[in-house]
Amino acid sequence: MGGAVSAGEDNDELIDNLKEAQYIRTELVEQAFRAIDRADYYLEEFKDNAYKDLAWKHGNIHLSAPCIYSEVMEALDLQPGLSFLNLGSGTGYLSSMVGLILGPFGVNHGVELHSDVIEYAKQKLDFFIKTSDSFDKFEFCEPSFVTGNCLEISPDCTQYDRVYCGAGVQKEHEDYMKNLLKVGGILVMPLEEKLTKITRTGPSAWETKKILAVSFAPLVQPNHADSGKSRLVHLPPVAVRSLQDLARIAIRGTIKKIIHQETMSKNGNGLKNPPKFKRRRVRRRRMETIVFLDKEVFASRICNPSDDNNNSEDLEDERREEEETKPSELKPDPPVNFLREKVLSLPLPDPLKYYLLYYREK
C-alpha cells in the first residue's frame, strides 16, 4: 500500500509534497490547505496517519486521500461569493477549506447521510472557529450541514455554482447531479471510475473532462421499505446577513488593511529577509502507484524516470545544505495573531471586542 506522494511530518510538509507532485497548482488552494490542519479531523488515536497521502475510515467517518481533495479543489475553480454544495459532506474538512475561499458572502451547504457524522463535523467546525489562528486570516463562509440522502434533494431547491459528490455516481444519476448546477457552474464527481469535471455551459449544454482514475464506494440508494415514501432533503435557505454581522465583517476587513499597511511600512514594502530555518528535503521516486483502502482506489501520476538519477545529487545537496545552515540556523518565531491583538487594544467595551473576535478562545 502506498500513496501518490510521500508522507509529510506535518501539515505544511504534506502540502509541500502535494505542490511538488502538481496536485496543488494555485495559490488559493494552497492557502486553504495550509490553513486547516488535516490532523484536526482525525480521531486522536489515528492522528499518526494524518499526513500520509491515504484515505481514512473509521465507522461512518471518512476522509479521502489528500491528493484527491487537492484535485477536487483545483477542479472546482472556487472564487469568493460563489455557492457550493457538498454531497456526502462527511467530516466537513473539504467544506471548511472551501469556506475559506468563498468568503463571507458565499453559500456553503453540505448533505450527509449519517447523523453521527453530522455531529462530528459540527464539533470539528466549532473547534476550528474557536481555536485556529488561521480563522482570523480569512473571512469565512461557515458550512451548514443537513442530514439526508443526497439522491432525495427536494426538486424545488436552489441551484449552485459549484457541486461536489464524494461517492461513486452511477450513470443513471448523472442528469440528476447536473440539474443541481446553475448555468456556468461546475460539478466534480466520481463517474464511471473517473474523477470527472462537468461544466454547465448553457441550459442544455455541458462540457466534460476526465481528471483522474479513481474508484469510490457507490452512492447509497434511497430505501423506502419502512414508510414507502420518499424522505425529501430540504437544503438550508440562503440567509441574508444581519446589519450587525455585516458591520463585523467590515470592521475586521478594515483592521486587516491597517495591519497590512503597518507591516508594509515597517518592513520597507515587505522586502525584509525572513529568518531562515531548515526544512527537511524530501526525496522521492514518483511512480505508478495504486492505493486500496475500504473499496477506495487511488492512482497516481507517472513521472519522468530520469528522477531516479537525481537521488545521489539530492543526497549531496542535502549534506551541503545542512552544513551551510547549521551554524546560523534559527527557529521561526511563533505566529502572532495581529488581528486579535489589534482588536483587544481598541477603546471598545469588552462585549464588542469579543463579538469582533467571534468569541474565540485564543
Side-chain angles (χ1 to χ4, degrees):
M1 183 181 297
V5 300
S6 299
E9 293 183 353
D10 56 28
N11 196 66
D12 277 332
E13 196 164 281
L14 171 63
I15 308 313
D16 291 343
N17 295 342
L18 290 168
K19 280 188 65 181
E20 185 169 333
Q22 289 294 300
Y23 285 102
I24 292 178
R25 299 178 289 278
T26 60
E27 185 177 354
L28 273 179
V29 171
E30 178 185 353
Q31 290 175 348
F33 268 84
R34 291 196 190 277
I36 298 182
D37 196 320
R38 181 176 167 87
D40 290 342
Y41 287 78
Y42 275 65
L43 293 170
E44 192 65 35
E45 59 268 33
F46 300 103
K47 285 189 175 182
D48 288 346
N49 295 319
Y51 308 121
K52 297 176 181 178
D53 191 28
L54 297 173
W56 172 63
K57 182 174 174 61
H58 181 79
N60 291 325
I61 301 170
H62 177 264
L63 281 167
S64 290
C67 67
I68 299 298
Y69 281 136
S70 53
E71 285 286 9
V72 169
M73 291 277 285
E74 292 287 357
L76 285 170
D77 189 21
L78 297 162
Q79 302 166 34
L82 296 181
S83 57
F84 172 67
L85 177 61
N86 190 353
L87 304 176
S89 52
T91 66
Y93 172 63
L94 177 66
S95 291
S96 292
M97 288 195 292
V98 169
L100 296 174
I101 298 177
L102 297 183
F105 304 112
V107 174
N108 195 355
H109 293 162
V111 179
E112 169 56 43
L113 183 62
H114 304 287
S115 58
D116 60 323
V117 179
I118 290 276
E119 188 59 35
Y120 185 86
K122 290 179 178 178
Q123 291 173 7
K124 295 302 181 182
L125 175 62
D126 186 59
F127 178 80
F128 170 70
I129 291 174
K130 286 185 176 180
T131 68
S132 174
D133 281 331
S134 293
F135 179 81
D136 283 330
K137 297 176 183 177
F138 298 82
E139 291 302 332
F140 187 48
C141 182
E142 185 174 336
S144 297
F145 305 112
V146 296
T147 307
N149 190 307
C150 66
L151 292 175
E152 296 183 298
I153 293 175
S154 175
D156 61 356
C157 81
T158 184
Q159 293 177 315
Y160 290 80
D161 297 302
R162 302 291 186 267
V163 178
Y164 170 65
C165 182
V169 177
Q170 294 86 348
K171 188 66 176 177
E172 59 265 30
H173 298 307
E174 180 179 357
D175 288 341
Y176 170 90
M177 295 292 176
K178 287 179 176 179
N179 288 329
L180 296 172
L181 275 184
K182 295 179 181 178
V183 173
I186 295 173
L187 164 67
V188 178
M189 61 181 177
L191 179 68
E192 296 184 316
E193 306 297 312
K194 297 287 191 303
L195 189 64
T196 304
K197 174 181 179 179
I198 298 176
T199 304
R200 187 168 194 171
T201 57
S204 302
W206 316 85
E207 289 181 359
T208 300
K209 178 183 177 182
K210 305 295 183 181
I211 301 172
L212 192 68
V214 294
S215 180
F216 280 60
L219 282 170
V220 175
Q221 302 299 307
N223 183 359
H224 306 144
D226 296 335
S227 62
K229 296 181 180 179
S230 175
R231 301 169 184 170
L232 288 180
V233 176
H234 296 279
L235 296 170
V238 178
V240 177
R241 287 190 175 273
S242 67
L243 182 60
Q244 187 180 40
D245 203 14
L246 292 172
R248 174 167 60 183
I249 293 168
I251 293 170
R252 283 168 62 92
T254 300
I255 293 173
K256 287 180 181 179
K257 288 179 181 178
I258 292 171
I259 292 171
H260 177 70
Q261 290 169 357
E262 290 175 349
T263 302
M264 295 286 284
S265 176
K266 181 179 178 181
N267 293 343
N269 293 326
L271 299 177
K272 184 177 180 180
N273 293 328
K276 293 182 179 180
F277 62 98
K278 182 177 65 179
R279 176 173 291 282
R280 180 174 64 89
R281 180 185 293 274
V282 180
R283 301 186 306 276
R284 61 181 61 80
R285 293 176 58 192
R286 297 184 200 163
M287 60 190 72
E288 180 90 11
T289 305
I290 306 296
V291 179
F292 295 89
L293 186 62
D294 193 55
K295 298 183 180 178
E296 199 163 359
V297 183
F298 310 109
S300 71
R301 293 181 176 84
I302 303 173
C303 82
N304 192 329
S306 65
D307 287 352
D308 291 346
N309 298 329
N310 295 328
N311 285 344
S312 59
E313 295 178 9
D314 285 346
L315 285 170
E316 181 62 25
D317 288 345
E318 182 176 0
R319 183 190 63 77
R320 189 182 306 111
E321 184 179 283
E322 288 180 354
E323 290 178 354
E324 291 175 354
T325 59
K326 192 172 183 179
S328 59
E329 183 177 335
L330 295 173
K331 291 185 178 180
D333 294 331
V336 177
N337 190 325
F338 293 105
L339 177 66
R340 180 178 179 83
E341 289 188 349
K342 183 69 76 173
V343 169
L344 292 176
S345 70
L346 294 174
L348 298 171
D350 284 346
L352 181 52
K353 292 180 183 179
Y354 299 145
Y355 178 75
L356 290 173
L357 294 171
Y358 287 85
Y359 305 98
R360 285 162 46 73
E361 293 177 357
K362 70 171 186 176

